Amino acid sequence: MAISPAAQPKMVNDGKPPLVNGRLKLRVLTKSMLAIRVTLIALAVLTVIGFMAFNYQEVHLLKGIATTFVNFKTIFASPQFSHFTFPEAVHQLLITLSLGVLTTLIGALIALFLSMLAAENLSNKTVSNSVKGLMAVIRAVPTVLWVLIFAVSAGLGSVAAVIGMSFHSISYLTKAYSESFEELDQGILEALQGCGAGWWQIICQAVLPSSLTSIVSWTFIRFEINFGVSVAMGAAAGAGGIGYDMFMDSAFYYNLHEMGVITYMILAVAMLLEYLSLQMKKRIRA
């Protein structure tokens, strides 16, 4: 008595292609899969070349790793003040926070209007593609480079840092906000248009209330990024704040103990920002 193919037990052979109705099931190599594989291979080759091209300056690997752990122990196990007091450290930390708040507010306000033009469901295709293309170009340039570009005319300091960080924040938040707007149900927008609602009425009555949680979340994420960038700009661009003190301790004083104090203070602020973000999102959803 012959047994139908459907009633036959399925055999799984390790290392062999699976059988489907007695035929081999082959995976077709698509263009996307080929591009991913070529990219991974290229990155692996560049990584190997990079490690081979490093100038190690006669540094021994095992000795360097041991020294690094000793430095970490000094930084995190025995933090203490040396060149400034706790009130002075808090003051410098507030300067760094203020730099992050200012750049985030400037970026969020400008990005909110640009994102309405970038969203395809709120604008025409030509304007949307133009705004998205411009923001992509701005976003492709690192924040530090924007700060250095504006430092040519404004000089190194807080002014160049604010302009450069705000410039990058605008492009980042424009993309985030516009994608949130594009996720709205098109039926709601069409229903409001059918009732005679104008463009600003649709924005105020449907778009902003529905996307408020996403807007707050993306804004807080960017604020956390700007806070970290503000620490780096204090050292790289002379913007002041706690980052400048960390730069002095690491490059001039080589005071690992005081670097530990600064690190703990930065971590405490980062945890506080994460807690505030969660609480705000809970209240908005409620």
Side-chain angles (χ1 to χ4, degrees):
M1 179 178 179
I3 301 176
S4 63
Q8 292 179 356
K10 295 183 178 180
M11 302 295 293
V12 179
N13 298 324
D14 295 336
K16 296 182 179 180
L19 295 175
V20 178
N21 295 330
R23 299 179 180 179
L24 291 177
K25 184 181 179 181
L26 301 178
R27 298 181 64 181
V28 180
L29 185 61
T30 61
K31 292 182 179 180
S32 60
M33 294 175 61
L34 180 61
I36 292 174
R37 293 184 181 182
V38 172
T39 303
L40 292 177
I41 293 173
L43 291 175
V45 172
L46 291 175
T47 302
V48 174
I49 295 175
F51 276 106
M52 293 176 62
F54 282 162
N55 184 11
Y56 293 97
Q57 296 180 353
E58 299 181 357
V59 175
H60 299 286
L61 179 61
L62 296 179
K63 185 178 180 181
I65 294 175
T67 305
T68 301
F69 279 109
V70 172
N71 291 338
F72 282 166
K73 181 181 178 181
T74 305
I75 291 173
F76 293 104
S78 56
Q80 62 182 11
F81 290 100
S82 177
H83 297 92
F84 53 86
T85 61
F86 179 74
E88 292 174 345
V90 172
H91 175 70
Q92 297 298 324
L93 189 61
L94 290 177
I95 293 176
T96 302
L97 267 174
S98 301
L99 187 60
V101 171
L102 180 61
T103 53
T104 304
L105 286 177
I106 295 174
L109 290 175
I110 298 177
L112 187 61
F113 292 99
L114 290 178
S115 60
M116 298 175 188
L117 301 177
E120 294 182 356
N121 55 349
L122 300 177
S123 179
N124 61 66
K125 191 172 183 179
T126 303
V127 176
S128 175
N129 292 335
S130 300
V131 175
K132 286 183 177 179
L134 178 61
M135 294 300 107
V137 172
I138 296 174
R139 195 168 53 253
V141 180
T143 308
V144 179
L145 187 55
W146 280 121
V147 174
L148 295 178
I149 290 173
F150 287 109
V152 175
S153 57
L156 288 174
S158 57
V159 176
V162 169
I163 298 175
M165 291 172 60
S166 300
F167 215 60
H168 201 273
S169 298
I170 291 170
S171 62
Y172 181 93
L173 292 176
T174 298
K175 176 179 173 60
Y177 292 166
S178 62
E179 290 181 352
S180 300
F181 295 160
E182 289 174 350
E183 293 176 356
L184 295 176
D185 187 5
Q186 187 64 26
I188 298 177
L189 302 181
E190 293 176 354
L192 289 173
Q193 291 175 353
C195 295
W199 191 78
W200 279 110
Q201 290 177 322
I202 294 175
I203 295 294
C204 296
Q205 299 297 327
V207 176
L208 293 181
S210 301
S211 306
L212 186 58
T213 304
S214 298
I215 291 174
V216 173
S217 299
W218 283 113
T219 305
F220 249 90
I221 290 174
R222 186 63 207 187
F223 174 52
E224 292 174 358
I225 295 174
N226 284 345
F227 173 70
V229 175
S230 299
V231 176
M233 289 302 99
I242 201 71
Y244 180 75
D245 292 326
M246 177 173 281
F247 171 72
M248 295 296 292
D249 284 327
S250 62
F252 289 92
Y253 306 132
Y254 197 66
N255 191 330
L256 299 181
H257 301 283
E258 202 162 61
M259 286 182 62
V261 174
I262 297 174
T263 302
Y264 279 122
M265 295 181 70
I266 294 173
L267 288 175
V269 173
M271 294 174 63
L272 179 61
L273 293 178
E274 183 66 22
Y275 175 76
L276 293 176
S277 174
L278 294 175
Q279 293 299 317
M280 288 189 66
K281 286 189 289 187
K282 287 181 180 179
R283 293 195 176 187
I284 292 174
R285 291 172 181 173

